[in-house]
Amino acid sequence: MTQQFEDGYQRRFYYLRLSVTDVCNFKCTYCLPDGYRPDGSKRPSFISLPEIKRVVTAFAHCGTNKVRITGGEPTLRRDFTEIVETVAQTPGIDKVAMTTNGYRMAKHVEQWRQAGLTHINVSLDSLDAKQFHQITGQNRFHDVMAGIDRALEVGYKQIKINVVLLKDLNSQQFPQFLNWIKDKPIQLRFIELMKTGEMDELFDNHHVSGVSLRNHLIANGWLLKLREANDGPAQVFIHPDYQGEIGLIMPYEKGFCSTCNRLRVSSRGKLHLCLFGDDGLELRDLMQSDEQEQQLIARISEGLTHKDVSHHLSEGDSGATPHLASIGG
Ligand code: SAM
Ligand code: SF4
């Protein structure tokens, strides 16, 4: 490795979040409440396998060792297994993760594992089937649970479960969630609801800060785990009586961005320096042949000089992101 992606604040980037589609079959209230709506304009197709290979290779040549495949719902892509394989076979990439709503996991997770998928995050906002349906617009609770069980069966040592905290909805499920991870190798990640461009009163009605949850955990014997160099922004807590762990993701907390180690490429081939940044920097024209790699790297490096020290969520500014499915949450 001769180069390293770094920004003007000495932050180094090891972790690429790659969105492979913005289509989704769920209607999560905080993300796509009306479901996926293709925009009428003639937009380019999603990045292809050869484009994925080139962009991941360029990132790997500049220090990236972890790629998360996300979306929309990434497993809706027919070539999802090939995408996993392509990323996993890129020299330098040793962690291939995905974030999924889990609806296809029970059937396919073994195949994904064989293709090289090393880490799985599944979104599961409730342990109550009715409430799950209410939040996601899909009656798929049992499919998702079967997928999680299957993933553990085929050999994943730990599964991460993303739960978006929603006041007066799933926040009351906390005891059930705790009980669930008592004897299971699951890291429950409670994510604070983030306000995005298309969100209206949902945020005001349902945002709940992770601070009270953190205080509750500490008061009940949970201990903060030390961060490792490439760890994400979650504050992870462990407890001697629990096999599972709890992660808190609190993007509104001061200092959240100081450990930022990730960059994003959207399913249309744009570089996003932040989940809550601007419209993104076009990379696709430089993903067309292997010979363009140095130009691609140069454009990304130049783009990085414009990366802001922090997002501006607390000032009510969520950038140009209409919802997280658009650039990959
Ligand atoms: N469809 C996949 C899924 O749901 O796991 C991957 C894409 S989804 C955009 C990635 C993650 O972003 C999910 O865990 C979801 O719960 C989270 N998310 C979406 N919108 C959010 C918001 N406004 N605030 C916090 N988390 C959000
Ligand atoms: Fe789809 Fe994921 Fe957004 Fe839910 S959070 S609507 S599953 S992209």
Side-chain angles (χ1 to χ4, degrees):
M1 187 183 78
T2 52
Q3 299 160 87
Q4 168 75 53
F5 286 143
E6 191 175 312
D7 70 1
Y9 301 93
Q10 287 78 52
R11 289 177 297 197
R12 292 185 156 198
F13 298 91
Y14 307 101
Y15 178 12
L16 170 65
R17 296 178 73 108
L18 180 70
S19 175
V20 294
T21 180
D22 56 25
V23 181
C24 190
N25 56 335
F26 277 32
K27 299 179 181 179
C28 300
T29 41
Y30 48 77
C31 183
L32 294 174
D34 303 318
Y36 175 72
R37 286 167 298 165
D39 90 10
S41 65
K42 231 178 153 208
R43 302 176 76 191
S45 55
F46 300 124
I47 45 176
S48 65
L49 268 181
E51 289 172 321
I52 290 173
K53 184 166 190 278
R54 290 187 194 110
V55 77
V56 171
T57 303
F59 271 85
H61 283 156
C62 293
T64 293
N65 66 351
K66 175 174 177 182
V67 176
R68 175 173 302 280
I69 306 168
T70 181
E73 176 47 40
T75 66
L76 284 173
R77 280 233 356 200
R78 284 211 199 105
D79 57 355
F80 179 72
T81 306
E82 286 91 334
I83 293 175
V84 171
E85 209 164 47
T86 300
V87 174
Q89 286 174 2
T90 306
I93 303 298
D94 52 26
K95 296 188 187 93
V96 185
M98 74 162 169
T99 306
T100 177
N101 62 31
Y103 89 105
R104 293 182 73 199
M105 274 215 329
K107 199 159 166 212
H108 298 280
V109 70
E110 190 168 14
Q111 186 187 333
W112 299 335
R113 185 167 162 84
Q114 281 160 5
L117 188 72
T118 58
H119 293 77
I120 300 179
N121 283 45
V122 185
S123 300
L124 179 76
D125 289 325
S126 182
L127 288 174
D128 174 81
K130 260 199 199 142
Q131 189 176 65
F132 177 93
H133 191 171
Q134 184 190 1
I135 296 173
T136 63
Q138 285 281 5
N139 192 9
R140 293 276 199 162
F141 173 76
H142 296 289
D143 296 338
V144 179
M145 292 300 271
I148 295 166
D149 288 343
R150 184 74 191 129
L152 293 172
E153 252 171 50
V154 303
Y156 286 95
K157 297 275 173 288
Q158 190 191 53
I159 308 286
K160 291 181 178 165
I161 303 291
N162 292 356
V163 185
V164 178
L165 274 174
L166 298 163
K167 186 162 68 190
D168 299 331
L169 278 166
N170 62 10
S171 58
Q172 285 150 356
Q173 286 249 313
F174 190 62
Q176 284 93 318
F177 272 118
L178 273 191
N179 201 27
W180 187 50
I181 63 164
K182 201 144 198 193
D183 303 308
K184 276 198 163 55
I186 280 179
Q187 187 185 102
L188 268 181
R189 299 158 70 85
F190 290 102
I191 309 174
E192 260 185 48
L193 179 65
M194 298 175 239
K195 190 169 170 48
T196 51
E198 286 183 359
M199 198 178 283
D200 41 30
E201 67 275 11
L202 185 102
F203 184 83
D204 300 328
N205 293 340
H206 295 292
H207 175 257
V208 42
S209 162
V211 173
S212 51
L213 201 50
R214 182 170 58 199
N215 292 342
H216 176 85
L217 290 174
I218 293 168
N220 285 281
W222 289 82
L223 303 165
L224 184 62
K225 219 172 142 178
L226 281 179
R227 264 182 66 89
E228 287 176 28
N230 286 6
D231 281 354
Q235 302 171 37
V236 178
F237 291 83
I238 49 175
H239 192 292
D241 299 341
Y242 289 79
Q243 191 183 353
E245 300 177 340
I246 294 190
L248 295 182
I249 301 180
M250 298 163 59
Y252 289 88
E253 192 160 69
K254 219 168 164 255
F256 179 78
C257 302
S258 62
T259 53
C260 185
N261 55 11
R262 67 219 32 224
L263 292 169
R264 296 181 151 80
V265 170
S266 76
S267 59
R268 314 279 173 174
K270 283 187 171 185
L271 174 73
H272 291 269
L273 300 172
C274 175
L275 193 46
F276 301 104
D278 59 17
D279 196 31
L281 175 66
E282 192 61 71
L283 298 182
R284 200 145 185 198
D285 57 309
L286 297 179
M287 289 158 69
Q288 302 312 310
S289 85
D290 296 351
E291 285 67 47
Q292 292 174 302
E293 183 173 302
Q294 281 311 313
Q295 284 169 274
L296 180 59
I297 289 174
R299 192 177 291 170
I300 298 168
S301 301
E302 204 286 320
L304 268 172
T305 63
H306 304 288
K307 185 167 160 68
D308 234 342
V309 66
S310 160
H311 61 56
H312 300 282
L313 280 178
S314 52
E315 295 118 74
D317 178 0
S318 51
T321 305
H323 44 71
L324 297 200
S326 64
I327 61 170

